[in-house]
Amino acid sequence: MAVLSTACGVAGCAPTSSGPEDAQTVLLQRPAGSTNDTKIYDSVLATCEKTTGITIKTQDIPSSGYLAKVLQQASSKTLPDVLMLDNGEVPQIAESGALAPLKPLGVTTNGFAEGVVQASTYGGELYGVQPVANTIALFVNTELLAAAGLKAPTTWDELKRTASILTKGDTYGVAFSAAASEEGTFQFLPFFWSNGGDETNIPTSEGAAALQLWKDLVIAHAASESVLTWTQADVNDQFIAGKAAMMINGPWQFPSLDKAGVKYEAVALPAPQLGAEIVSPLGGETWTVPVTGNKEKMASAAQVVQCLGSDASQLELGSGRNLIPTNENLAGQYAQENPKMKGFVDQIPGLRARTAQLGPDYAKASQTIYTAIQDVLTGGAEPLEALRRAETK
């Protein structure tokens, strides 16, 4: 079980439970993040204190044991007033009855991308507000593309052609993570979903075609066989070292890329064919109101959650943390102010929660998918048969 870290936030050191304070003081709990993330969130929370008139005390829990801590708190009925969760954890905690539906508390998500709202919805009820999101896009080495007279690929056929041309010497055309883990599934889902794949019925021709794309890239040596073991961090290392001309990755890699001085651009992932919508996995945290039994505090907590989802909060969090505002109405302004995020912003309409269809059972589907990927790329299995075999197992 995780041990509480030193809990000093917007209103100073916090207690370990909401305690007997008046209803205008709430305890907010979050996993411990980077110094930069904490600083930016504290700035947003300070603004929310002024906006709502509510005092916000923060409690940081080590991220490595965060979910276990939340589950223990839910069991012992010691949850805080405001709780941060990974959006993929919402169904599990909501199913336990530990979270309050937000709409009866007056919380709205007008303008939010549909997939973002779905990610925080369980059993038809909204349980969380997600102000910013992350996903993955295609990073291209602009110097290598320019030298080859190429543009960033926008379709699968263009991806294969471009990756093939850029493969020279010890530089592969494209790198991605096909690891036997959620990272591998996360990177594959945009191809799977965008081509009509469905995690409720995995072994279909649409899903197989997406897996064939990855197989084609590896067979053509446009992608290294090492993708089978690479994490997303490993993929980034290959790109920085000049051993991959393109890579699939997330905005969390911006700091290391900028530090290394790589000339790059992040563009939307290639679609199966021109004009097709790109459906990408939605990552990030959502803010919830636990059922504490104190109606006045829960009402105050709901005001804080609403403030965290406000336009101002989204823009500050997005710019400061290289994340995407979830209100589609902010897309144009945000992309103009943060041009390197445009490739991610372009994918907002198609963002989809991994747990949207299967809830807590998503983990089983993820294992089926990454098992099939491994089978195809290591054993040379045909994609459709690999998907069938993995689902049977």
Side-chain angles (χ1 to χ4, degrees):
M1 190 60 62
V3 178
L4 291 183
S5 64
T6 302
C8 295
V10 178
C13 291
T16 58
S17 64
S18 55
E21 298 98 331
D22 62 71
Q24 293 301 105
T25 299
V26 298
L27 175 63
L28 177 148
Q29 180 175 296
R30 60 192 178 185
S34 68
T35 300
N36 179 64
D37 286 354
T38 300
K39 180 180 178 181
I40 294 165
Y41 249 121
D42 283 350
S43 173
V44 170
L45 291 173
T47 299
C48 285
E49 283 191 322
K50 295 177 183 178
T51 302
T52 64
I54 296 166
T55 300
I56 305 169
K57 296 186 176 182
T58 59
Q59 177 169 277
D60 293 348
I61 306 294
S63 57
S64 60
Y66 190 74
L67 180 57
K69 178 64 179 178
V70 169
L71 291 170
Q72 182 272 324
Q73 290 174 311
S75 177
S76 60
K77 302 187 185 304
T78 56
L79 284 166
D81 303 305
V82 179
L83 176 68
M84 178 195 281
L85 292 171
D86 181 272
N87 61 32
E89 297 166 352
V90 170
Q92 182 179 3
I93 307 303
E95 186 179 45
S96 73
L99 302 180
L102 294 182
K103 288 187 178 180
L105 292 172
V107 176
T108 62
T109 51
N110 298 331
F112 282 49
E114 181 181 353
V116 174
V117 176
Q118 289 179 347
S120 295
T121 299
Y122 178 76
E125 294 281 2
L126 178 71
Y127 286 98
V129 168
Q130 181 171 344
V132 286
N134 65 62
T135 191
I136 49 180
L138 183 71
F139 287 71
V140 298
N141 183 310
T142 53
E143 291 183 329
L144 293 178
L145 251 69
L150 298 170
K151 295 182 179 179
T154 59
T155 65
W156 288 6
D157 285 343
E158 288 179 5
L159 174 63
K160 289 195 287 186
R161 175 178 173 273
T162 303
S164 179
I165 294 173
L166 292 173
T167 299
K168 294 181 179 180
D170 63 353
T171 299
Y172 287 93
V174 65
F176 49 86
S177 172
S181 68
E182 172 59 18
E183 281 192 82
T185 299
F186 189 80
Q187 292 230 319
F188 180 68
L189 283 175
F191 300 93
F192 181 76
W193 282 338
S194 299
N195 201 46
D198 187 339
E199 58 270 37
T200 65
N201 181 25
I202 293 173
T204 64
S205 58
E206 291 81 5
L211 191 44
Q212 184 67 49
L213 170 67
W214 276 23
K215 181 179 181 179
D216 290 346
L217 289 168
V218 173
I219 288 177
H221 302 292
S224 170
E225 292 181 0
S226 296
V227 298
L228 285 156
T229 59
W230 283 344
T231 64
Q232 292 177 115
D234 295 328
V235 170
N236 190 55
D237 289 342
Q238 294 294 313
F239 188 74
I240 288 175
K243 294 184 178 181
M246 301 183 289
M247 72 167 176
I248 299 169
N249 228 313
W252 50 86
Q253 305 295 7
F254 282 147
S256 60
L257 292 171
D258 294 340
K259 183 178 180 181
V262 180
K263 303 298 183 183
Y264 70 92
E265 181 183 8
V267 300
L269 288 167
Q273 57 273 330
L274 195 63
E277 182 180 52
I278 302 158
V279 184
S280 303
L282 167 69
E285 65 268 356
T286 188
W287 292 97
T288 67
V289 176
V291 177
T292 61
N294 188 323
K295 293 183 179 180
E296 290 77 14
K297 274 186 176 291
M298 288 173 63
S300 294
Q303 291 184 56
V304 172
V305 167
Q306 185 73 76
C307 180
L308 285 165
S310 68
D311 290 358
S313 295
Q314 290 193 27
L315 290 171
E316 183 173 355
L317 289 168
S319 297
R321 300 177 61 209
N322 292 317
L323 296 175
I324 313 164
T326 54
N327 189 324
E328 292 184 289
N329 298 326
L330 301 176
Q333 176 186 345
Y334 182 73
Q336 186 174 9
E337 295 174 355
N338 301 273
K340 69 180 180 180
M341 290 294 295
K342 185 178 183 304
F344 297 94
V345 173
D346 289 344
Q347 296 176 182
I348 290 177
L351 290 178
R352 181 184 296 180
R354 287 164 285 169
T355 57
Q357 296 198 71
L358 297 176
D361 289 333
Y362 165 75
K364 297 176 184 177
S366 175
Q367 183 177 5
T368 296
I369 290 170
Y370 69 65
T371 298
I373 293 172
Q374 292 279 309
D375 195 11
V376 168
L377 299 186
T378 60
E382 291 303 313
L384 185 56
E385 178 57 30
L387 291 169
R388 286 171 177 161
R389 190 155 55 208
E391 185 172 67
T392 300
K393 289 181 180 179

